[in-house]
Amino acid sequence: MTARLLFLLALLATVPAAAQDQEAVRAKAQVCAACHGPDGNAVSPEYPNLAGQTWRYLYVQLKDFNEGRRSNPLMSPMAANLSREDMMALANFYAAQPLKPSAFKVDETKAKAGKAKADETLCTMCHLGGFMGQNEIPRVAGQNYEYIVLQLKAFKARTRTNDAGTMTSVAQTLNDTDIENLGNYLTGLRP
């Protein structure tokens, strides 16, 4: 009986701390909201949706911005002063947010061609079936069309290289039409 009572008291003591931690993370995330939205659903399509992304991918990207392996005029200074704990907390916060469906009007003909290209290049070997991502491999299902196109072009131009070479290599096989088709296909995959 005493052990059960102590367990319940200990459990009750952690609830306010967890709520405070969540509020602290939400406060830290406010600076991200201008681009990524308050819930990780981006306010503009050239920014990535963070909601529903794998926490490990988000953490690795923040770390790459923080340590200079990935560069962006907006993100690099934002990540420069984040601690490891900040990056982990923000990654977990956004991973737990639900991804909202995209308002992008998918061209079904281009999406069909994008699926064929994705099958040909074996994209699901890394991104998994449904393109839900895993560990440090991003979820791309339902991601913003403009962001997908920008990132594929950046890998192709080798201006984004924090991928251990896999995406840079795959992107070399894509032309502008392939990239447009893949963007339509991936954006159209609903969460």
Side-chain angles (χ1 to χ4, degrees):
M1 179 78 167
T2 304
R4 180 179 283 172
L5 182 59
L6 288 174
F7 174 76
L8 287 173
L9 289 173
L11 184 62
L12 287 173
T14 62
V15 171
Q20 288 174 357
D21 289 348
Q22 190 67 12
E23 286 309 308
V25 173
R26 191 175 295 281
K28 282 185 182 157
Q30 282 184 345
V31 72
C32 311
C35 297
H36 299 289
D39 60 356
N41 286 282
V43 297
S44 182
E46 71 265 20
Y47 302 122
N49 291 316
L50 306 180
Q53 188 57 269
T54 68
W55 85 266
R56 177 79 181 152
Y57 173 76
L58 293 173
Y59 170 72
V60 168
Q61 296 310 301
L62 285 170
K63 191 172 178 210
D64 284 355
F65 281 120
N66 178 279
E67 296 176 357
R69 284 185 294 276
R70 186 174 176 188
S71 179
N72 177 277
L74 293 175
M75 276 305 300
S76 296
M78 298 295 246
N81 295 318
L82 293 176
S83 69
R84 180 176 186 267
E85 291 74 25
D86 290 338
M87 292 187 279
M88 290 180 75
L90 288 168
N92 279 305
F93 171 76
Y94 283 116
Q97 306 304 311
L99 177 63
K100 295 177 182 169
S102 172
F104 179 77
K105 193 151 186 83
V106 171
D107 180 315
E108 293 302 329
T109 302
K110 291 178 180 177
K112 186 176 177 182
K115 180 184 183 329
K117 190 59 160 177
D119 291 346
E120 176 190 319
T121 50
L122 305 174
C123 298
T124 55
M125 285 186 66
C126 296
H127 292 280
L128 298 183
F131 292 86
M132 300 301 285
Q134 60 174 325
N135 299 316
E136 62 275 353
I137 308 297
R139 171 189 180 147
V140 289
Q143 186 56 270
N144 286 323
Y145 170 83
E146 287 85 349
Y147 180 74
I148 291 170
V149 168
L150 284 170
Q151 295 313 300
L152 287 174
K153 287 183 176 180
F155 282 121
K156 185 173 177 75
R158 301 178 196 269
T159 55
R160 180 175 174 186
T161 58
N162 68 325
D163 66 322
T166 305
M167 280 305 302
T168 302
S169 176
V170 168
Q172 301 314 305
T173 69
L174 304 175
N175 61 36
D176 287 348
T177 301
D178 294 333
I179 290 172
E180 185 179 344
N181 292 340
L182 283 165
N184 273 275
Y185 173 56
L186 296 171
T187 301
L189 296 174
R190 302 296 178 211

